[in-house]
Amino acid sequence: MTTPTPTPILAAGCVLWRPAISGHGIEIALVHRPKWDDWSHPKGKRKRGETAEACALREVLEETGRRCELGPRLPTAHYWVDGRPKQVEYWSARALDGGFVPTKEIDALVWLPPPSARHRLTQPRDRDLLDAALTTPHL
């Protein structure tokens, strides 16, 4: 008899970008999570009945203080956390208005040019996601 696979943790997030302050190219938003001491794209767990799109918009706002406009869908990340599968749906998103306020969950936000953001990201899957975002035609 096989053990059933646990129900996946559903989450969503964005590769958040804005036009560079210099006027040349774009900058990518990365958030720092002190609990894990890592740098990642804004993301989080979906609430019961919440769509992936609504979750992505909410998580970006909660973690970066910025509203955003969803762009193209990006590859979905699949990995395991504490013995459970996790599925994170992602979009490329342009940052709109708002401002960052540090919290217990997210204590820092940086805006970096893509090569610097790629270097700063902790997880290889987040670097792959950034690479995918950079190949979308809207940037």
Side-chain angles (χ1 to χ4, degrees):
M1 182 176 234
T2 60
T3 305
T5 303
T7 305
I9 299 164
L10 300 178
C14 294
V15 174
L16 187 65
W17 64 275
R18 70 179 183 191
I21 305 240
S22 68
H24 302 286
I26 62 167
E27 295 173 327
I28 304 295
L30 300 182
V31 294
H32 182 260
R33 303 182 306 168
K35 178 179 179 181
W36 306 108
D37 191 23
D38 70 351
W39 289 94
S40 67
H41 302 291
K43 66 180 177 302
K45 294 177 192 164
R46 287 170 57 179
K47 294 181 177 181
R48 185 180 313 271
E50 185 177 45
T51 66
E53 293 91 341
C55 176
L57 292 169
R58 177 181 55 77
E59 286 293 337
V60 166
L61 182 61
E62 287 177 4
E63 294 191 355
T64 71
R66 302 292 288 263
R67 289 184 326 104
C68 69
E69 177 180 46
L70 296 182
R73 253 327 260 277
L74 297 173
T76 299
H78 299 272
Y79 53 98
W80 289 79
V81 176
D82 296 327
R84 283 185 68 194
K86 186 168 186 176
Q87 175 181 309
V88 188
E89 296 180 61
Y90 283 102
W91 284 262
S92 176
R94 182 181 177 135
L96 301 173
D97 60 331
F100 176 71
V101 176
T103 65
K104 187 175 130 183
E105 184 181 341
I106 303 295
D107 65 350
L109 167 75
V110 294
W111 290 94
L112 299 169
S116 298
R118 191 175 195 289
H119 182 72
R120 176 83 58 103
L121 286 163
T122 304
Q123 293 294 328
R125 65 178 166 263
D126 287 338
R127 291 191 283 278
D128 293 343
L129 190 65
L130 176 58
D131 293 344
L134 294 173
T135 64
T136 61
H138 72 288
L139 293 181

